[in-house]
Amino acid sequence: MPHANAIPTVKLLIGGELIESKTTQWRDVVNPATQEVLARVPFATAEEMNAAVASAKDAFKTWRKTPIGTRARIFLKYQQLIRENFKELAAILTAEQGKTLPDAEGDVFRGLEVVEHAAGIGTLQLGELANNVASGVDTYTLMQPLGVCAGITPFNFPAMIPLWMFPMAIATGNTFVLKPSEQDPMVTMRLVELAMEAGIPPGVLNVIHGGAEAVNLICDHPDIKAVSFVGSTKVGTHVYNRATQNGKRAQCMMGAKNHAIVLPDAHKQQTLNNLLGASFGAAGQRCMALPVVILVGEAQAWLPELVEKAKTLKVNAGVEAGTDVGPVVSCAALDRIGGLIAKGLEEGAELVLDGRDPQVQGYAKGNFIGPTIFSKVTPEMTIYREEIFGPVLCVLQAATLDEAIELINANPNGNGTAIFTRSGAAARHFQEEIDVGQVGINVPIPVPVPIFSFSGSRASKLGDLGPYGKQVVLFYTQTKTVTQRWFDENDVGGAVNTTITLK
């Protein structure tokens, strides 16, 4: 049972109703700046999770036949409700996740863009037709929904990533079971409440909470047809293998070690500012953050100025005005980051800016770590090989652009990369030779807008199709090909056709 005090409990959503879980296992949702317990989240029972899937399966019978215009209008209404509640959503997100308010607003806004994209499903889910493929024969395709789909989302974007998933799945005619991160589910639940208010029918969207048992149920349940996941490589690999072995479609966006190359001809001040924002924004807790910078040739002399600029960033609670770097999500995350910094020193990297143990007035219990910069990093070091997921930047050097490209291509991950240069020839060479799914040219975090698809590659992604954009419409639908011929009532027919050729 939940605590007997006044701490609120996070609800399940099953069959259109917000339900108090009957579980005996609960987890605190903690404000990372203060350690205040904001709510208690249940680890749903197997019976509750199965009920959510059953509700989605039952709702699919009618939702799949709902007119496409009706589905689109729900998401038109939904985007309006998100806009009307924008500040509230950002405030909830900051309280439970730790982001600065501007960054939390960006989290909500990037999810809102996908909702707007879902409202255009009428043109996105069109099939194809070929007239007279043979005499009197036409062939056309239908893009039909799969059934019950599911999503497993991480702590670092508790608004954006759920909105990557369920709007596009539902807009294409599927029903959905969502498992948010148990660390910060409150903003996700507020978004779910607004989705129901927008008109999503009971059972079409369901929410369960939990840990490994919930993940495994999603991967194993025979009525779930497709699984979308964003999170760590370890869990993502497990989800992909388990789900696909059970005959499901799966898309898993996983770990990263993104690199930026800085050429000496780059716009110096713009580049340094972009590096700081991409490396230390959101306290480095982005899968598309920039934890590695390769300074090429004369750009290696820019390191002292990069360090001085990083020293000016303000570490504080996300709700405080002017904050650049908020707390990391948990005490465990803080301890892990500190351990990796210590490992970097042990292995010979030079700590040119130490952000450990910053003094944040009024928030003595917060999970704070300031901007931290290592130089003289080599690819063999733990701080280079592992995803730190904190405000820690590793600086490497290269003599030439090709040397830098070779270093990036040798890394197993392929989520994102960037180059800073004024040379179109260098940028095009980089674009052609780099083996990474998402490329920025003077753009440090090249996450595409929703008319394109998120396209991480190599060890950063399992599954052929990425979230949102055109690819996700293919992921959430199956193609049915129809070949038809109609005979005239007065047609006496021809000879018996014993071949499979249409003429």
Side-chain angles (χ1 to χ4, degrees), residues 196-429:
M196 303 302 290
E197 185 179 339
I200 291 179
V204 172
L205 175 60
N206 302 270
V207 182
I208 60 175
H209 302 288
E213 290 183 2
V215 169
N216 288 339
L217 182 138
I218 286 171
C219 294
D220 294 344
H221 201 294
D223 291 331
I224 292 177
K225 306 302 181 185
V227 180
S228 184
F229 171 89
V230 177
S232 72
T233 297
K234 180 180 179 181
V235 179
T237 302
H238 169 78
V239 167
Y240 184 82
N241 290 338
R242 190 156 178 161
T244 54
Q245 285 168 8
N246 285 315
K248 306 180 193 307
R249 292 186 183 181
Q251 55 173 207
C252 295
M253 307 298 115
M254 308 185 301
K257 199 71 176 182
N258 306 316
H259 300 65
I261 294 174
V262 179
L263 297 186
D265 69 342
H267 189 297
K268 186 175 184 181
Q269 295 307 317
Q270 289 286 356
T271 298
L272 292 176
N273 289 339
N274 275 283
L275 295 180
L276 292 180
S279 301
F280 305 128
Q285 297 174 120
R286 299 177 178 131
C287 66
M288 287 293 289
L290 195 58
V292 181
V293 170
I294 306 173
L295 302 177
V296 176
E298 295 175 1
Q300 294 173 29
W302 297 8
L303 178 59
E305 191 169 345
L306 178 67
V307 172
E308 290 305 310
K309 278 182 170 286
K311 289 178 180 178
T312 68
L313 298 179
K314 181 178 178 181
V315 180
N316 209 332
V319 295
E320 299 293 340
T323 298
D324 298 302
V325 182
V328 294
V329 71
S330 67
C331 295
L334 182 64
D335 290 343
R336 180 179 179 276
I337 294 165
L340 284 165
I341 293 172
K343 191 73 172 176
L345 285 168
E346 178 186 323
E347 294 180 353
E350 182 178 343
L351 189 59
V352 293
L353 180 60
D354 188 350
R356 291 174 293 181
D357 302 318
Q359 301 305 304
V360 181
Q361 187 174 0
Y363 297 94
K365 297 181 179 180
N367 307 321
F368 294 103
I369 181 167
T372 298
I373 301 177
F374 277 105
S375 67
K376 299 181 180 178
V377 178
T378 63
E380 296 78 25
M381 292 180 179
T382 303
I383 55 172
Y384 177 81
R385 290 185 290 104
E386 292 193 16
E387 188 173 20
I388 300 174
F389 228 62
V392 180
L393 175 63
C394 295
V395 179
L396 287 77
Q397 293 80 33
T400 65
L401 172 58
D402 283 332
E403 182 184 328
I405 290 173
E406 184 178 351
L407 193 155
I408 296 173
N409 285 346
N411 191 281
N413 295 293
N415 216 29
T417 190
I419 188 171
F420 290 89
T421 181
R422 298 187 192 188
S423 167
R428 192 175 191 285
H429 178 70

Side-chain angles (χ1 to χ4, degrees), residues 9-190:
T9 56
V10 179
K11 306 298 188 289
L12 308 170
L13 178 67
I14 301 175
E17 299 291 333
L18 292 170
I19 295 170
E20 188 79 61
S21 177
K22 296 180 180 178
T23 188
T24 57
Q25 186 180 0
W26 297 76
R27 175 179 174 143
D28 291 340
V29 179
V30 178
N31 183 322
T34 65
Q35 306 309 317
E36 174 193 1
V37 177
L38 303 174
R40 307 256 303 155
V41 61
F43 280 38
T45 66
E47 181 181 10
E48 290 165 342
M49 293 188 286
N50 284 319
V53 178
S55 173
K57 182 181 180 181
D58 187 61
F60 179 67
K61 297 173 185 175
T62 53
W63 180 246
R64 66 187 294 269
K65 296 182 180 180
T66 301
I68 203 165
T70 301
R71 286 183 257 145
R73 282 188 290 275
I74 289 173
F75 290 99
L76 284 172
K77 176 65 174 176
Y78 189 32
Q79 65 87 22
Q80 175 190 347
L81 289 172
I82 291 175
R83 290 182 182 278
E84 291 173 355
N85 293 274
F86 198 77
K87 295 294 185 182
E88 177 201 359
L89 291 164
I92 295 170
L93 199 160
T94 292
E96 64 177 343
Q97 202 277 341
K99 291 186 180 184
T100 66
L101 280 169
D103 201 21
E105 290 178 356
D107 190 331
V108 176
F109 181 77
R110 291 306 303 266
L112 171 62
E113 290 182 314
V114 180
V115 175
E116 293 171 339
H117 191 59
I121 196 62
T123 56
L124 298 172
Q125 203 173 346
L126 293 175
E128 299 174 313
L129 183 143
N131 183 231
N132 284 323
V133 295
S135 179
V137 177
D138 304 323
T139 298
Y140 56 92
T141 60
L142 308 174
M143 298 179 69
Q144 297 187 320
L146 301 175
V148 181
C149 301
I152 302 165
T153 64
F155 75 85
N156 59 330
F157 283 91
M160 181 185 76
I161 294 179
L163 292 176
W164 279 9
M165 294 183 185
F166 74 79
M168 293 304 298
I170 290 171
T172 50
N174 300 283
T175 56
F176 206 80
V177 177
L178 176 66
K179 194 210 85 65
S181 169
E182 64 277 17
Q183 295 190 75
D184 48 10
M186 294 169 62
V187 70
T188 307
M189 292 308 298
R190 185 68 185 114

